[in-house]
Amino acid sequence: MSEQNIVNNLKNVHKRIIDAAANSGRNNREIILLAVSKAKSIDDILTAYQFGQRHFGENYVQEALEKIYKLEQYAIIWHFIGRIQSNKAQAIAENFAWVHTVDSVKHAKLLNQYRPKNLPPLNVCIQVNVSNEANKAGVRADELMDLAGQIRQLPQLTLRGLMAIPKFSIYIEEQKASVQALRILADLLIGRGYNMDTLSIGMSKDLEIAVAEGATIVRVGTAIFGKREVNDDSK
Ligand SMILES: *Cc1c(COP(=O)(O)O)cnc(C)c1O
């Protein structure tokens, strides 16, 4: 995609976030735009960076590592948003600042074990399967408390909040319900003394609904960088 298109798209997404925040009485500074750059080039990332974008999300470790190394001199905050595989836990723990997709004690422990001691703790979110879809990553609501409790014991991880990839629905009420479900679970944890500040939910098509219901990180790919030909596991 051309530089001009990416810049225009970013401006448009900023406006969508600002408007959605204003409409729900929120301060748009509470909301981080995570630019999802999977399947997109280094040049595309740099175009967004030069326009001020700092948070980038990647789903595939191999692809991400190449970008991270090549962009080492830039102040990019890298977020891992793909499925975690045990044999990639070390690379994830060493190279990312955030991981949004923790959904097992096993993976949490591996990330903790491999997070280098000279780096700040890894920021993690627990992925919740809010639409209760079979075969979907994420814990069920009834598994959440246990996982959160275990993560709290791990010194190299900081539990920042919850993340979900709700099933897309054309019905606004259904989309709303997914975000609300995530928010209720987060509030439950906060009520139990968890110091969390993050709800990672909302993508290109539904960021307005997510922002209205309390999202603090929206993960936007297509609306910034255009359609992806390959590597799409967001559905
Ligand atoms: C790809 C992806 C996104 C971005 O999706 P778009 O619809 O392109 O905005 C967000 N979150 C996750 C977990 C993804 O895999």
Side-chain angles (χ1 to χ4, degrees):
M1 183 166 267
S2 78
E3 288 183 24
Q4 199 48 51
N5 283 339
I6 291 174
V7 167
N8 285 338
N9 285 348
L10 267 171
K11 286 182 184 164
N12 184 43
V13 170
H14 288 175
K15 184 171 178 336
R16 286 175 63 190
I17 293 172
I18 288 168
D19 289 349
N23 286 336
S24 52
R26 296 186 64 199
N27 183 344
N28 66 277
R29 286 167 192 269
E30 293 168 10
I31 298 146
I32 292 173
L33 171 59
L34 177 57
V36 176
S37 46
K38 65 178 168 213
K40 296 297 170 181
S41 69
I42 300 243
D43 285 345
D44 286 354
I45 294 173
L46 275 177
T47 299
Y49 183 89
Q50 268 138 20
F51 188 67
Q53 181 63 34
R54 290 295 176 268
H55 293 265
F56 289 87
E58 289 282 339
N59 294 56
Y60 303 97
V61 175
Q62 253 352 89
E63 178 190 341
L65 291 184
E66 205 184 304
K67 293 173 178 172
I68 292 170
Y69 296 146
K70 287 194 177 142
L71 294 168
E72 214 165 24
Q73 75 265 41
Y74 298 95
I76 293 178
I77 301 153
W78 292 101
H79 296 240
F80 185 73
I81 61 170
R83 289 192 185 220
I84 301 169
Q85 294 171 283
S86 296
N87 63 352
K88 301 281 166 58
Q90 180 168 8
I92 294 169
E94 289 177 351
N95 291 285
F96 287 84
W98 284 74
V99 178
H100 291 230
T101 46
V102 176
D103 67 356
S104 75
V105 176
K106 179 180 158 197
H107 288 155
K109 285 186 171 163
L110 285 172
L111 293 171
N112 178 68
Q113 175 191 333
Y114 287 122
R115 180 66 172 175
K117 299 280 188 297
N118 62 322
L119 294 179
L122 190 59
N123 297 297
V124 302
C125 294
I126 296 176
Q127 182 174 357
V128 184
N129 182 357
V130 280
S131 335
N132 274 318
E133 292 168 86
N135 298 323
K136 184 94 163 221
V139 296
R140 294 189 314 265
D142 62 303
E143 301 167 318
L144 176 62
M145 284 297 156
D146 178 56
L147 180 55
Q150 304 252 15
I151 291 175
R152 182 140 71 167
Q153 313 295 322
L154 301 173
Q156 302 308 317
L157 305 186
T158 300
L159 180 59
R160 295 293 298 269
L162 304 182
M163 175 271 203
I165 313 174
K167 191 167 68 177
F168 182 74
S169 165
I170 54 166
Y171 302 108
I172 288 177
E173 290 308 320
E174 257 175 45
Q175 286 300 94
K176 255 192 196 171
S178 299
V179 188
Q180 283 166 350
L182 193 68
R183 187 177 176 174
I184 287 167
L185 292 170
D187 287 344
L188 202 70
L189 285 168
I190 290 165
R192 296 193 185 184
Y194 287 86
N195 187 15
M196 304 192 319
D197 58 9
T198 300
L199 272 192
S200 167
I201 191 164
M203 314 201 323
S204 291
K205 287 183 186 160
D206 61 1
L207 74 87
E208 282 84 359
I209 296 169
V211 166
E213 301 300 325
T216 65
I217 299 184
V218 290
R219 309 179 309 262
V220 179
T222 311
I224 297 173
F225 297 114
K227 277 214 187 73
R228 293 174 292 273
E229 303 302 327
V230 289
N231 277 1
D232 198 341
D233 69 357
S234 66
K235 298 298 170 318

